[in-house]
Amino acid sequence: MKSLVEIKKALDSNLGKRLLLKANGGRRKTIERSGILAETYPSVFVVELDQNENAFERVSYSYADVLTETVQITFYEDKEQIAMNN
């Protein structure tokens, strides 16, 4: 399991890359969104969502959301998926 610092470093190194985000929407509902990792801050990161799929332009999540697997991130790189989990 990664620490919060390791998660932030991994996200910092993937700034500007396309990703697929799976988030727990509560009541057994999973939300899937795609976009670009736009910014990282000391305690949160911001994803700019694809406009044709989403009502919101940007969403932010904490690194703790990734640590607790409330949010799962998969980066697309050269048509291969690189999972942020584990």
Side-chain angles (χ1 to χ4, degrees), residues 1-4 6-7 62-71 85:
M1 180 171 293
K2 292 187 177 190
S3 70
L4 293 175
E6 290 171 324
I7 291 168
S62 71
Y63 303 112
D65 290 333
V66 177
L67 182 67
T68 60
E69 297 184 2
T70 303
V71 172
N85 306 335

Side-chain angles (χ1 to χ4, degrees), residues 2-16:
K2 292 187 177 190
S3 70
L4 293 175
V5 173
E6 290 171 324
I7 291 168
K8 183 179 184 324
K9 283 181 184 176
L11 289 174
D12 285 343
S13 68
N14 284 291
L15 276 172

Side-chain angles (χ1 to χ4, degrees), residues 46-72:
V46 178
V47 176
E48 289 187 0
L49 301 174
D50 293 342
Q51 291 303 298
N52 55 349
E53 297 176 15
N54 301 284
F56 305 107
E57 291 181 17
R58 295 159 60 103
V59 291
S60 63
Y61 293 99
S62 71
Y63 303 112
D65 290 333
V66 177
L67 182 67
T68 60
E69 297 184 2
T70 303
V71 172
Q72 296 177 348

Side-chain angles (χ1 to χ4, degrees), residues 2-35:
K2 292 187 177 190
S3 70
L4 293 175
V5 173
E6 290 171 324
I7 291 168
K8 183 179 184 324
K9 283 181 184 176
L11 289 174
D12 285 343
S13 68
N14 284 291
L15 276 172
K17 293 187 180 173
R18 289 197 51 75
L19 57 84
L20 174 66
L21 187 104
K22 292 182 184 178
N24 181 350
R27 294 192 173 224
R28 298 186 200 133
K29 182 179 176 188
T30 302
I31 301 165
E32 281 194 22
R33 298 177 172 145
S34 57

